[in-house]
Amino acid sequence: MSRTAVIAGVGPGLGESLARRFAAEGCQVALFARSTDYIEELATDLPDSGEGLAVTTDLTDVEQIEEGFDAVRDAFGPIDVLVNHASAASWTGLIDTTVEEFEEAWAVNGRGAFVCSQEAVGDMLEADGGTVIFTGATSAVRSLGGAIGFTAAKFAARGMAMDIAQEYGPEGVHVAHVVIDGQIDSEAARERLPDRDGETFLDPDEIAETYWHLVEQDNVSTQPFEVHITNGPQNSEFI
């Protein structure tokens, strides 16, 4: 039986790699993002035997999130897998960050993930469990300074993931927080960092493989809560 997966926050890079990896495993994959044209094109280009559904969603809007999950259920049925992948940040420090920028980071990384998790876990509790994965970052476990909105929101998301894991793990819901400790490879990243050694970029397809392993593990009692992904043989940005 195929799984229904929601990836909340899909764009070029890891979001696309996750969609393609899950579809390749036969999942029905719902793509949530504001960029309608991009996710519609991706949804039609996912590998067989998967199936894609583009759901235009502003993850700062609670009503849109709820309507998005209703659309997924109408098309595919209850949700088995949720990836809270969306992120927002102004990359500024305390003095230079406006209240609006701070609140937007929280609205996406915090409140958006909270509402998505409520919707998905509700389905999982009525079935045989499921998997919720939060995409974290170095800033979720150690502040780097100068990105206060992003750091505060990612710390909050990590705590939320831990709380959901403790509450619903015994009921078959596996929750994992993935700390991505490095720069994910993408065309945009290479244009922004033209002098960076290519070997120090993280391969999004390899990261997506790790996410899939978290989904397919059967024994909830032995599944990890937190996984750290670093840039291989190069110096870790976290340690």
Side-chain angles (χ1 to χ4, degrees):
M1 181 177 178
S2 64
R3 294 180 172 95
T4 295
V6 172
I7 303 175
V10 178
L14 180 54
E16 179 175 337
S17 290
L18 290 170
R20 293 188 181 281
R21 185 71 181 88
F22 285 18
E25 293 293 339
C27 292
Q28 302 172 125
V29 185
L31 314 175
F32 282 25
R34 288 181 289 190
S35 51
T36 302
D37 291 345
Y38 175 78
I39 57 174
E40 285 184 345
E41 182 177 349
L42 178 59
T44 61
D45 191 45
L46 292 179
D48 296 333
S49 57
E51 185 177 356
L53 176 69
V55 185
T56 303
T57 310
D58 181 348
L59 291 165
T60 68
D61 187 315
V62 173
E63 185 174 346
Q64 285 192 33
I65 295 172
E66 293 171 344
E67 291 174 350
F69 275 89
D70 286 341
V72 177
R73 295 186 190 101
D74 288 343
F76 293 150
I79 286 77
D80 302 294
V81 180
L82 167 66
V83 180
N84 285 313
H85 186 61
S87 187
S90 61
W91 302 112
T92 52
L94 174 65
I95 303 302
D96 295 327
T97 301
T98 67
V99 172
E100 291 75 18
E101 289 169 336
F102 186 89
E103 289 183 340
E104 182 179 9
W106 161 250
V108 174
N109 297 292
R111 187 181 65 206
F114 166 75
V115 178
C116 287
S117 298
Q118 278 190 324
E119 291 284 333
V121 171
D123 284 2
M124 296 171 191
L125 293 175
E126 294 180 2
D128 296 324
T131 303
V132 180
I133 301 176
F134 286 73
T135 295
T138 312
S139 293
V141 290
R142 178 176 68 83
S143 173
L144 300 177
I148 192 167
F150 183 74
T151 299
K154 283 298 186 182
F155 259 82
R158 180 175 185 252
M160 180 163 48
M162 187 176 294
D163 196 87
I164 298 169
Q166 292 175 332
E167 184 174 9
Y168 294 113
E171 298 185 56
V173 178
H174 175 218
V175 183
H177 178 254
V178 181
V179 179
I180 298 178
D181 179 30
Q183 178 64 59
I184 299 173
D185 196 5
S186 69
E187 183 177 344
R190 287 183 180 263
E191 288 177 356
R192 190 171 64 252
L193 302 166
D195 298 327
R196 181 163 181 159
D197 184 347
E199 292 185 0
T200 68
F201 286 98
L202 296 169
D203 185 337
D205 291 339
E206 292 182 1
I207 299 174
E209 182 74 15
T210 297
Y211 278 61
W212 179 249
H213 286 323
L214 291 169
V215 171
E216 66 178 355
Q217 294 181 68
D218 293 324
N219 189 347
V220 174
S221 65
T222 61
Q223 290 173 327
F225 164 70
E226 193 153 79
V227 175
H228 289 241
I229 298 175
T230 65
N231 45 357
Q234 310 302 320
N235 291 330
S236 169
E237 296 183 6
F238 169 66
I239 296 175

